[in-house]
Amino acid sequence: MFRRRGDAPFHRAPCGCCRVTGTNDKRTTIMPIIRVEMFSGRSEEQKRALVRDLTDAFVGAAGGNPDSVHVVITDVDKSNWGSGGQLCSDKFPD
């Protein structure tokens, strides 16, 4: 898990996303994190493709190592998402 030392968060165990930049075990996080919030209901295969495509697009546009790109997917029920003053479960019924 992450912990803070100074202003830079870092892992206790190196995973390739952090690097030691000086003395006293100070590390600088160099990993990009892509966060996706979307309605629940996508299959694991769709999520797998999304993670792959987002990683490829990020590396193509910004450079870097694909192994350092992290994608966090949060599934949200339509009843927990509002848009235009309405619950999405009312706007977009199944």
Side-chain angles (χ1 to χ4, degrees):
M1 290 295 132
F2 285 106
R3 61 184 172 143
R4 286 199 173 271
R5 184 174 288 175
D7 291 327
F10 63 93
H11 294 287
R12 289 182 186 272
C15 69
C17 68
C18 301
R19 59 184 162 79
V20 176
T21 59
T23 59
N24 298 326
D25 196 36
K26 291 188 177 186
R27 299 169 190 240
T28 301
T29 302
I30 57 174
M31 66 178 168
I33 301 173
I34 302 170
R35 297 187 184 276
V36 178
E37 293 179 81
M38 62 185 184
F39 293 143
S40 301
R42 270 52 172 229
S43 69
E44 191 167 332
E45 189 58 39
Q46 288 172 310
K47 292 178 186 181
R48 189 174 286 114
L50 179 62
V51 168
R52 181 185 59 243
D53 292 348
L54 287 172
T55 301
D56 291 345
F58 185 92
V59 171
N65 179 353
D67 290 335
S68 70
V69 177
H70 295 252
V71 179
V72 178
I73 299 172
T74 303
D75 288 327
V76 181
D77 290 334
K78 290 180 185 181
S79 61
N80 293 329
W81 195 308
S83 173
Q86 292 180 289
L87 286 177
C88 289
S89 56
D90 296 334
K91 288 177 79 168
F92 309 109
D94 292 331

